[in-house]
């Protein structure tokens, strides 16, 4: 488990509180459409397999920080998101698969094409009836895997791309800030600024796959350019 | 009571069932303005309902053909992986606050059945079509084809609240917005947010005086 300077936690928390309006009635644009991966990788999606090693429960596995209790007015840091999710009613409804290892080759090709530095990929499989409640990404796993400190300056350089692995189907729903995202096409990529709240649910009838590409922003990162198509063939 | 035929329940002519088609699958009916507060109504565990699986007990009034449809739906829900925990919601249809009946009057459906639903965070009402079995059991109507449902949003949209009718995901509504859809268009409802979602469900027979048919789409109660 990581330990983080308490003062740094509060600084990150303050940043998150200040960076968005938190008003569901404001028609703000809270995510960015980055582009689309095209190519024959789509034919390989059916070969993905998930086992017990990739089982993940947002509520259960979220206790990354084993340190002191934070003040009640801290909104987002450490175990706070989990505590809130349980209170809202999400206990035992947040199981899904998160596969970091043994990913197919086309995942690394996408990571390379992303223009992010030291990209780390994972694929999430969300079953019907599974929720990922309203939360902020704090990149715990990425920081652990790459030996980085959890500091605001690092967080602000971090970037996560979400790549939809299949066309939208009934009941698939992602929301970033005030923006519902639905009816997507396979390969489409979106991103959001650090600290933006978001949620995801599979309220449909079939499993849903989304890939994360996590890394540090560079001048060549895809979201720095107008949205475009990138062909990935294996 | 005339039950739907199997053909009416299972015929796919009413919708295309293609999730990639850009179709318009619901209608915006209008808006009822008022100073009610849906989130102040108390629901108890007696009001709890959920998408019950094949253990659901059918009564005589459901009728054999309706039962066929319901069983098909309930088998699917179990197969997809839904259970009581993630499908529970609350519904009250008796002794509702006066504003519920005032809203129903403003919407102008004949023989209107009024129910208020609360969907707590972490709940899905999975993909289904309405059978109107309860309505048909209690009201005199020739066929479910004549029945129309209006959904009135009890409070303004909040994060994680959505309805999906056919291929249309409905979000960001205003308090009192009213929507409807044609018979046999499949739909689902979800509260993936942090606050409960409240909807007033109106079921009745549409006439020329119904809100959807009127030119003036905004009514204040």
């Amino acid at each position: 488990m990581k330990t983080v300077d308490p003062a740094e936690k509060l600084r990150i928390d303050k940043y998150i509180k200040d960076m968005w309006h938190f008003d569901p009635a404001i028609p703000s644009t809270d995510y960015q459409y980055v582009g689309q991966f095209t190519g024959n990788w789509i034919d390989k999606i059916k070969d993905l397999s998930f086992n017990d090693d990739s089982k993940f429960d947002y509520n259960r596995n979220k206790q990354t920080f084993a340190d002191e209790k934070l003040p009640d007015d801290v909104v987002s840091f450490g175990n706070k998101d989990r505590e809130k999710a349980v209170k809202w009613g999400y206990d035992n409804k947040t199981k899904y698969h998160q596969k970091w290892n043994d990913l197919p080759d086309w995942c690394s090709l996408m990571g390379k094409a992303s223009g992010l530095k030291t990209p780390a990929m994972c694929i999430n499989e969300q079953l019907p009836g599974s929720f990922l409640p309203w939360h902020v990404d704090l990149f715990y796993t990425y920081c652990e895997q790459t030996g980085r400190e959890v500091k605001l300056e690092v967080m602000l350089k971090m970037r996560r791309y979400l790549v939809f692995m299949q066309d939208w189907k009934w009941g698939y729903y992602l929301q970033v800030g005030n923006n519902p995202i639905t009816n997507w096409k396979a390969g489409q990529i979106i991103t959001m600024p650090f600290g933006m709240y978001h949620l995801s649910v599979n309220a449909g009838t079939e499993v849903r796959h989304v890939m994360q590409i996590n890394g540090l922003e560079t001048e060549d990162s895809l979201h720095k350019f107008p949205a475009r198509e990138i062909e990935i063939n294996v | 009571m005339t039950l739907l035929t199997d053909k009416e329940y299972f015929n796919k002519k009413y919708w295309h069932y293609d999730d990639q088609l850009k179709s318009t699958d619901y209608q915006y009916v209008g808006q009822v303005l008022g100073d009610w507060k849906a989130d102040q109504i108390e629901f108890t565990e007696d009001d709890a309902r959920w998408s019950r699986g094949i253990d659901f007990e059918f009564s005589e009034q459901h009728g054999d053909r309706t039962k066929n449809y319901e069983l098909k739906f309930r088998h699917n829900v179990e197969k997809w992986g839904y259970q009581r925990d993630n499908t529970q919601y609350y519904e009250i249809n008796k002794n509702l606050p006066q504003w519920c009946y005032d809203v129903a009057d403003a919407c102008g459906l004949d023989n209107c059945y009024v129910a208020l639903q609360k969907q707590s965070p972490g709940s899905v009402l999975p993909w289904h079509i309405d059978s109107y079995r309860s309505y048909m059991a209690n009201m005199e109507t020739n066929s479910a084809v004549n029945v129309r449902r209006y959904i009135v949003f009890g409070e303004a949209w909040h994060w994680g609240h959505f309805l999906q009718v056919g291929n249309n995901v409905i979000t960001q509504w205003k308090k009192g917005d009213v929507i409807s859809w044609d018979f046999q268009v499949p739909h689902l409802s979800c509260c993936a947010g942090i606050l409960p979602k409240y909807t007033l469900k109106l079921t009745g027979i549409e006439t020329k005086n119904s809100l959807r048919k009127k030119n003036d789409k905004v009514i204040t109660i």
Side-chain angles (χ1 to χ4, degrees), chain B:
Chain B
M1 180 179 70
T2 304
L3 291 169
L4 283 181
T5 63
D6 283 349
K7 192 178 175 187
E8 280 177 306
Y9 269 123
F10 298 118
N11 194 337
K12 291 191 172 182
K13 73 176 182 181
Y14 293 98
W15 197 55
H16 51 70
Y17 286 85
D18 177 353
D19 50 19
Q20 298 304 305
L21 209 59
K22 286 185 168 61
S23 51
T24 301
D25 300 319
Y26 78 103
Q27 298 102 40
Y28 179 72
V29 171
Q31 188 180 23
V32 183
L33 301 174
D35 59 359
W36 72 79
K37 292 202 180 300
D39 56 6
Q40 289 181 351
I41 295 171
E42 284 190 21
F43 291 78
T44 69
E45 283 311 303
D46 289 341
D47 306 319
R49 300 176 182 200
W50 59 96
S51 291
R52 280 170 286 191
I54 54 176
D55 60 339
F56 178 75
E57 288 183 13
F58 290 87
S59 71
E60 286 293 316
Q61 69 178 18
H62 295 136
D64 285 341
R65 288 187 180 123
T66 312
K67 185 174 174 177
N68 288 341
Y69 160 73
E70 291 275 334
L71 276 173
K72 189 180 177 197
F73 165 65
R74 291 175 193 287
H75 275 285
N76 275 340
V77 166
E78 285 204 339
K79 188 181 73 184
W80 296 330
Y82 292 96
Q83 28 187 308
R84 176 172 177 164
D85 271 1
N86 55 10
T87 63
Q88 183 164 300
Y89 64 100
Y90 299 84
E91 179 170 314
I92 47 178
N93 53 28
K94 293 189 175 72
N95 303 317
L96 290 164
Q98 186 56 41
W99 65 262
C100 295
Y101 301 112
D102 293 343
V103 170
D105 285 347
C107 287
L109 295 174
D110 270 3
N111 287 330
C112 190
Y113 168 83
V114 186
L116 185 66
Q117 290 186 333
K118 171 185 169 181
Q119 201 172 19
S120 297
S123 169
V124 178
L125 188 53
W127 192 239
H128 69 284
I129 53 177
D130 294 325
S131 69
Y132 299 129
R133 60 178 164 75
S134 297
Y135 182 84
M136 291 168 65
N138 292 308
M139 307 282 185
E140 283 189 14
T141 177
N142 290 329
S143 164
V145 176
N146 298 323
V147 180
R148 170 67 62 166
R149 177 160 291 165
Y150 286 3
I151 295 292
V152 184
F153 296 107
E155 295 293 336
W157 177 80
H158 205 275
W159 305 319
H161 293 181
F162 70 98
L163 229 71
Q164 189 191 312
V165 181
N167 286 352
N168 304 154
V169 180
I170 302 161
T171 59
Q172 289 163 318
W173 52 77
K174 304 288 184 201
K175 176 181 165 184
D177 274 348
V178 189
I179 62 157
S180 184
W181 54 87
D182 292 342
F183 177 65
Q184 292 291 57
V185 176
H187 52 279
L188 62 86
S189 168
C190 181
C191 177
I194 67 174
L195 296 176
K197 174 165 77 69
Y198 296 91
T199 47
L200 192 63
K201 185 173 78 173
L202 308 177
T203 313
I205 308 297
E206 203 168 43
T207 72
K208 62 180 172 46
N209 296 318
S210 301
L211 186 57
R212 194 168 71 103
K213 305 281 186 178
K214 286 184 172 175
N215 291 327
D216 187 1
K217 298 287 188 195
V218 181
I219 296 182
T220 302
I221 61 166

